[in-house]
Amino acid sequence: MSQIYEKIARPRRLPDEIAEKLSNDINSGALKAGDKLPTEQKLSLAFGVARTVVREAISQLKFEGLIQSKQGVGAFVTNPDQKSVFRIGSSCFKKRKELAMVLQLQTSNLSASAALAAENRTSEDLSALTELHESILNSPDPSSYEITEALLDTIRSFYLAIAKASGNIHFLEIIRMIDTRLNENLRSVAIKNLMATDVNLIRSELTSIHEQILQANSESSRLATRSHFEKSTERLLARADERDV
Amino acid sequence: MSQIYEKIARPRRLPDEIAEKLSNDINSGALKAGDKLPTEQKLSLAFGVARTVVREAISQLKFEGLIQSKQGVGAFVTNPDQKSVFRIGSSCFKKRKELAMVLQLQTSNLSASAALAAENRTSEDLSALTELHESILNSPDPSSYEITEALLDTIRSFYLAIAKASGNIHFLEIIRMIDTRLNENLRSVAIKNLMATDVNLIRSELTSIHEQILQANSESSRLATRSHFEKSTERLLARADERDV
DNA sequence: AAAAACATGTTGTCAGACAACCTGTTCTTG
DNA sequence: CAAGAACAGGTTGTCTGACAACATGTTTTT
């Protein structure tokens, strides 16, 4: 969020590529639950890589819960309800409809966080929220790209502060994860969208959220947050409709 | 859900052990964001295992987003806000308060799913929901452990059917994941709790959810689901208070 | 002084070997 | 003949050593 010029274009490693191919085969149904994977030797031959590479790939998928392996027998695709992690793939930001699903998820979790925050917020949470809120109110109107970028990050921090104030670590973690993925895939769209929006509208929506959490009004916090996110989603999707995404 | 006698006591593999140790060091703060991990050679020496084992462990943590590595330089702990997966560890079911957090998360996501389900349900979704609902209504009252077990699984399937009917794959996946973890860690408590509860109460709550989704009433579905889950949580926590968890 | 070459350390990949384990087959033994 | 033991083959788990690819700091050359 703070550092700039990061994360661009790291070269893909072989294990990652293979893990993705296997993962796709599983998700696409080419490999069904209970199926036995080809042996590591066959896979390494088929992909033309060393067995260690295949093993690292399988190790990742085991960690994710997609695969279980038994020594001396083989590796098997597990039932989908044995997955032990939740992740959002990069492919989920391609189409407008898929993007909408991710935003629905974020909306749901942040609304619930806001409701909990109204009940559980500590004084540190409150001062953090207030500080970010003031910063948003006092920020210059988005004219340049850079200014808008800073505003966006402040708003994102405000969201995360709500998640933290909920007192529920799981909400913080999942919201943070989704925020990260959204930022990775949609940052430029979000910024352009923000530049084309009436910022005072957003300010008033966020003020309402802040106000309700401040007053420890759980249900109102939930509704204000949901309302804000649903509007934000509409704005973003309208924008995403026109262009790159 | 259907198969019995599973999942007990598989021997831990070395990479998993090492991944967990490193993961703990990161979560406990012994390794902070930006820190450089010891080299693979030093780690393999320190743990007394081969470098391939260390590499598999690191590969898992990279996959999780906890670590980034640069060829020729080293491996580094990433900021917590770069994690690309969401997972709930087994430690989150130990204490009553931690369990409550997991249940809050499930409540939030299932409520949102129900609201979406009321809008997006297909006819297949409806028949699946109706069938499960009828099955719950007609189920014998929980007397024996086995009967209660079957009822619990039917109710769980009903929840998952709601998630599926939302039409949002992410809700289905995260709800399924949480359900799996809850079932792994709390199944026996949940069954005993169900045996000690007035099942007609639960039946009427679920009927209300079913009814509202059937009538495509989004907000009522949301509220009915939240209400049901909050009551369920209370019942379960009261029970968990007394005993094993 | 700047650029090129080199040295060193680290991760990424490769190849081969053996250990641990599972399964089915064959052999032994009662 | 049947039950158990021994064996054989295949697969995953671990180990070892080597080299390639890359980054960084040092030395040498121009």
Side-chain angles (χ1 to χ4, degrees):
Chain A
M1 203 171 300
S2 50
Q3 66 250 55
I4 205 166
Y5 293 150
E6 265 293 335
K7 156 194 53 174
I8 295 179
R10 53 179 170 178
R12 297 294 301 268
R13 311 293 181 192
L14 293 181
D16 295 337
E17 302 236 28
I18 292 181
E20 186 170 332
K21 288 190 182 182
L22 289 177
S23 181
N24 285 342
D25 280 353
I26 292 175
N27 286 330
S28 79
L31 286 170
K32 297 169 195 170
D35 282 1
K36 182 173 176 298
L37 264 68
T39 68
E40 294 175 355
Q41 199 181 32
K42 285 180 187 169
L43 284 176
S44 70
L45 240 61
F47 286 118
V49 300
R51 210 186 123 204
T52 50
V53 173
V54 173
R55 279 192 62 79
E56 277 192 37
I58 291 182
S59 177
Q60 293 177 355
L61 299 182
K62 272 194 292 188
F63 198 54
E64 190 170 5
L66 235 54
I67 284 180
Q68 269 181 328
S69 57
K70 288 182 206 161
Q71 182 168 353
V73 184
F76 301 85
V77 180
T78 59
N79 311 7
D81 66 335
Q82 296 192 25
K83 278 178 60 170
S84 59
V85 310
F86 174 71
R87 91 184 312 139
I88 298 178
S90 295
S91 59
C92 298
F93 302 90
K94 298 262 184 286
K95 296 182 186 169
R96 188 175 174 282
K97 195 167 182 180
E98 292 168 347
L99 171 57
M101 289 187 183
V102 177
L103 292 172
Q104 278 176 347
L105 190 68
Q106 189 74 318
T107 302
S108 152
N109 282 292
L110 247 165
S111 305
S113 292
L116 287 171
E119 300 169 7
N120 302 330
R121 65 210 165 44
T122 67
S123 55
E124 290 88 34
D125 292 331
L126 275 187
S127 47
L129 278 171
T130 302
E131 186 177 339
L132 287 165
H133 177 235
E134 304 242 329
S135 170
I136 293 170
L137 288 189
N138 300 329
S139 73
D141 277 6
S143 48
S144 73
Y145 191 89
E146 286 73 23
I147 289 179
T148 314
E149 205 167 9
L151 177 57
L152 175 67
D153 286 336
T154 310
I155 294 176
R156 288 173 56 216
S157 297
F158 184 71
Y159 296 156
L160 290 180
I162 294 174
K164 183 165 185 304
S166 75
N168 186 326
I169 182 73
H170 303 307
F171 278 113
L172 176 57
E173 289 201 346
I174 191 171
I175 286 167
R176 191 191 265 160
M177 190 270 269
I178 299 172
D179 172 74
T180 303
R181 306 295 279 138
L182 282 169
N183 192 50
E184 280 174 11
N185 291 279
L186 284 178
R187 183 172 182 84
S188 64
V189 179
I191 291 173
K192 286 171 191 159
N193 176 53
L194 194 52
M195 289 179 80
T197 308
D198 177 8
V199 182
N200 282 323
L201 215 62
I202 296 176
R203 288 202 183 103
S204 77
E205 292 171 15
L206 295 182
T207 298
S208 157
I209 296 175
H210 179 245
E211 179 81 1
Q212 297 306 327
I213 293 180
L214 205 68
Q215 300 193 357
N217 195 329
S218 179
E219 280 311 306
S220 303
S221 299
R222 189 199 308 272
L223 293 178
T225 306
R226 189 157 82 224
S227 161
H228 163 65
F229 259 82
E230 282 172 354
K231 288 178 194 161
S232 291
T233 300
E234 272 181 38
R235 290 188 285 255
L236 189 62
L237 286 183
R239 178 105 205 146
D241 238 358
E242 305 168 15
R243 294 187 344 87
D244 6 24
V245 169
Chain B
M1 205 172 298
S2 51
Q3 67 249 56
I4 204 165
Y5 294 149
E6 267 293 334
K7 157 194 53 173
I8 296 178
R10 53 179 170 182
R12 297 291 303 267
R13 312 292 181 195
L14 292 182
D16 296 339
E17 302 236 29
I18 292 183
E20 186 171 331
K21 288 190 182 182
L22 289 177
S23 181
N24 285 342
D25 279 352
I26 292 174
N27 286 330
S28 78
L31 286 170
K32 297 169 193 169
D35 283 2
K36 184 172 175 297
L37 264 68
T39 68
E40 295 176 354
Q41 200 182 30
K42 285 180 187 169
L43 285 175
S44 69
L45 240 61
F47 286 119
V49 300
R51 207 185 126 207
T52 49
V53 172
V54 172
R55 281 191 62 79
E56 276 191 38
I58 290 182
S59 178
Q60 294 177 354
L61 299 182
K62 273 195 291 188
F63 198 53
E64 191 169 5
L66 236 56
I67 284 180
Q68 269 181 327
S69 58
K70 289 182 206 161
Q71 182 168 353
V73 185
F76 302 85
V77 180
T78 60
N79 312 10
D81 66 335
Q82 296 191 26
K83 277 178 60 169
S84 59
V85 310
F86 174 70
R87 92 186 313 142
I88 299 178
S90 295
S91 59
C92 299
F93 301 90
K94 298 263 185 287
K95 297 181 186 169
R96 188 175 175 282
K97 196 168 183 180
E98 292 168 345
L99 171 57
M101 289 187 183
V102 178
L103 293 172
Q104 278 175 347
L105 190 69
Q106 189 75 316
T107 300
S108 153
N109 284 292
L110 247 164
S111 305
S113 292
L116 288 170
E119 299 169 7
N120 302 329
R121 64 212 163 51
T122 66
S123 55
E124 291 89 34
D125 292 331
L126 275 187
S127 48
L129 278 172
T130 301
E131 186 177 337
L132 287 166
H133 177 236
E134 304 242 327
S135 170
I136 293 170
L137 287 189
N138 300 329
S139 73
D141 277 6
S143 47
S144 74
Y145 192 89
E146 286 74 23
I147 289 180
T148 315
E149 205 166 10
L151 176 58
L152 175 68
D153 285 336
T154 309
I155 294 176
R156 288 173 58 214
S157 298
F158 184 71
Y159 296 156
L160 291 179
I162 294 174
K164 183 165 185 303
S166 74
N168 186 324
I169 182 73
H170 302 308
F171 278 114
L172 176 57
E173 289 201 346
I174 191 172
I175 286 168
R176 191 190 266 158
M177 190 270 270
I178 299 172
D179 172 74
T180 302
R181 306 295 279 139
L182 282 170
N183 192 49
E184 280 174 10
N185 291 279
L186 284 178
R187 184 171 181 84
S188 65
V189 180
I191 292 173
K192 286 171 190 159
N193 176 53
L194 194 52
M195 290 179 80
T197 307
D198 177 7
V199 183
N200 282 323
L201 215 63
I202 296 176
R203 288 203 183 102
S204 76
E205 292 172 15
L206 296 181
T207 297
S208 158
I209 296 176
H210 179 246
E211 179 82 0
Q212 298 306 326
I213 294 180
L214 205 68
Q215 300 193 355
N217 196 329
S218 179
E219 280 312 305
S220 303
S221 299
R222 189 198 308 272
L223 294 179
T225 306
R226 190 157 82 225
S227 161
H228 164 64
F229 258 81
E230 282 172 354
K231 287 177 195 161
S232 290
T233 300
E234 273 180 38
R235 290 188 284 255
L236 189 60
L237 287 183
R239 177 106 203 144
D241 237 358
E242 306 170 15
R243 293 187 344 87
D244 9 22
V245 170

